[in-house]
Amino acid sequence: MKKLLVIILALLLVLAFSVTALAAEREWVEIVCDGQPLVGVRNLVESAYGGFWVCTTGGLYLADQRGEAERMFSGVLKTQWVYDIAEAADGSYWLTQGYTYAPTGKNYGVFHISADGELIEEFNMENSRLLGDFAQAIEITADGRVWIGGDGGLSVYDPAAGAWKTYGKDDGLPTDSVCVLAADDFGGMWIGCYPNGEQGGLKPPFSGGYAYISKAGRLTAWAYDAASDDEYNSHLLGDFWVRSIAPLNDLGAGQAAISRSGAAPSYFESAGYVGADGLPIPISECVGGRLDMVRGSVVEHTTGRESIPAIAAGIIAGDPTAGTAGATPEIRALAYDEGQSLWLGCSALGLFNDKEDVNYSSAAGTWSGALYDNIYALLLTDGGTLIAGSQGGVMLSAGSDFYLPVAPVDIAEVRISSHAMTVNGAEAKVSAYLINGNNYFKLRDIAMLLNGSEAQFEVEWDAALAAINATDGAAYTAVGGELAALAAPKSVAPSTHKLFMDGARIYPAAYLIDGNNYYKLRDIGRLIDFAIGWQAAGESNTAAGTIIIDTASSYIGE
């Protein structure tokens, strides 16, 4: 009996490990512009129009839902160092033009740029009430107010009224310098501070913290200094510098994960950290920064070393560049997967998850080069796409809202599908090509089949733009040739034709086969919103299995 229990326990452990590994397994691709990596990333911002912004020390880029990046506004900017960008409801953009804390004359405040890329207005300390020209963070709330974090504090501008409201240490913030802003789903704003220190904030001892302003305007601050918090070393910048804030929206207002870092292992020699007693601070004090889980009035403090299971379990060793065992790369970037886990980007060892013993890094073979392990920003979209921005570039693991370009296939691998199909219970006579295990259908064929149902849509061809225009909810107009039987293909290549849905460009996987565009059925179901089911061969009347379409139900992912 005991032997049986041991065997069962061993099997359970193997199963648990397998589930963790499968849950954590992600494929990554690099986002580039004109074949070049997007180096020096400082922030990643999701776009309301699809895709995401990449803010770097060498310019601003917009990556579309297919992972193709384009450099933006370079002719308008005064410095190519862009820390943050926010999209306004009128289609215009607000972006930071800060360069450095040092007064070098290269900080230009905030630029307001029109939808067509023209400069509308510059805001700086000379022409406005902006607190600090070194602007690093910017957010726009639902009421249209523009929140700006800079080296002089927090500035809130109401464009409609032309009015400003400012916050500094005298108004309740932990310090007079704001480097992180994060709006939550409840109208509140999280504020992360750069530490106060001696000699203009550059030398220890340090103090700092973060704050939250509710929708009603109530400010709550969490301030830390060595006098009242002996857990922290006031001579380590990293114990006080807020680097990332991830609101825990599924848990309610006023709750967030906050990382504080800045004393990476390599800093110990270059910065010459010494304690209050004048003695050098041992590199073992580099504990991976601090991770604060703020849940209302309760704050749980852990070190980065304690927060990453892979390090605690010994799967990942200390930073090899530190030269001393025990030093841990610091947590710099956070992304919260609501109700599930927290992704943590480090300063030297890549990407981790707080619930799994996994590591994505150059050492693990995820990407090439140690610069990619130095992660400054993370973005997790509602569709499950995870993006890591680093000194080396931008790596993307696609979810349901990104459609990376399909790979070329050998024509011998493209076969006529033998799968049957039913639409709302009725047999549908339609042909498809089977490519890499997925059924690809002509868009007009699916439109013809769904015409008159809850999921009907119109399809039109724009020859001048080489584009397909689809209109959700409109009746389909037949052009002839729909639902014709397919023959063995003579030519196949990834499609370069654009596809627009209700005027917005979308990027589903598509192949051009014998002059016609074929789309993956699940992409069509997701875009039009109809349910797709599957009945295996043994459960259906066909030898190969049956695809089931239900237009009265919503699409559910695989």
Side-chain angles (χ1 to χ4, degrees), residues 72-87:
M72 304 293 291
F73 313 139
S74 58
V76 177
L77 306 181
K78 286 187 176 180
T79 173
Q80 297 304 312
W81 284 62
V82 179
Y83 278 86
D84 206 356
I85 185 172
E87 298 173 341

Side-chain angles (χ1 to χ4, degrees), residues 21-31 343 351 360 365-367 384-388 394-399 402 404-405 407:
L22 288 173
E25 186 177 351
R26 282 178 170 268
E27 295 182 358
W28 297 85
V29 296
E30 183 167 10
I31 306 301
W343 289 97
L351 182 61
Y360 297 109
T366 311
W367 40 68
T385 296
L386 182 60
I387 309 159
V394 178
M395 302 300 298
L396 182 146
S397 178
F402 274 76
L404 298 177

Side-chain angles (χ1 to χ4, degrees), residues 411-412 414-416 433 487-492 513-514:
I411 196 169
V414 181
R415 298 181 287 109
I416 298 174
Y433 286 113
K490 298 177 181 178
S491 66
V492 57
I513 302 176
D514 296 339

Side-chain angles (χ1 to χ4, degrees), residues 201-371:
L202 301 177
K203 298 292 183 180
F206 298 107
S207 63
Y210 42 88
Y212 178 73
I213 298 178
S214 69
K215 184 178 181 180
R218 180 185 176 186
L219 189 152
T220 304
W222 291 262
Y224 301 97
D225 60 71
S228 57
D229 304 283
D230 56 9
E231 174 186 355
Y232 308 112
N233 190 325
S234 65
H235 281 61
L236 289 183
L237 182 71
D239 274 11
F240 303 98
W241 185 356
V242 175
R243 302 302 290 266
S244 182
I245 300 178
L248 308 177
N249 289 312
D250 59 325
L251 302 181
Q255 306 194 60
I258 299 172
S259 67
R260 292 182 279 141
S261 71
S266 59
Y267 288 10
F268 278 76
E269 291 183 5
S270 61
Y273 286 128
V274 295
D277 55 7
L279 297 176
I281 299 175
I283 199 170
S284 59
E285 287 296 306
C286 185
V287 294
R290 307 281 175 175
L291 179 65
D292 292 1
M293 302 299 289
V294 182
R295 296 181 175 89
S297 60
V298 178
V299 182
E300 177 187 348
H301 303 284
T302 57
T303 66
R305 186 180 296 167
E306 296 165 338
S307 304
I308 300 174
I311 292 178
I315 295 175
I316 303 298
D319 180 7
T321 67
T324 303
T328 304
E330 297 203 317
I331 297 172
R332 182 181 282 131
L334 302 173
Y336 181 56
D337 191 357
E338 292 192 1
Q340 297 189 49
S341 62
L342 187 68
W343 289 97
L344 309 103
C346 290
S347 62
L349 284 182
L351 182 61
F352 298 89
N353 186 282
D354 74 334
K355 295 295 191 296
E356 303 169 10
D357 295 343
V358 296
N359 172 232
Y360 297 109
S361 64
S362 59
T366 311
W367 40 68
S368 61
L371 286 178

Side-chain angles (χ1 to χ4, degrees), residues 412-447:
E413 298 175 2
V414 181
R415 298 181 287 109
I416 298 174
S417 176
S418 57
H419 299 147
M421 177 187 284
T422 63
V423 176
N424 297 332
E427 183 181 1
K429 296 291 185 180
V430 61
S431 297
Y433 286 113
L434 191 67
I435 305 175
N436 294 328
N438 292 294
N439 285 289
Y440 284 76
F441 289 83
K442 194 185 300 182
L443 194 61
R444 287 190 177 277
D445 284 354
I446 299 299

Side-chain angles (χ1 to χ4, degrees), residues 446-458:
I446 299 299
M448 188 78 166
L449 287 173
L450 303 187
N451 200 29
S453 73
E454 302 90 337
Q456 70 177 9
F457 62 97
E458 174 66 299

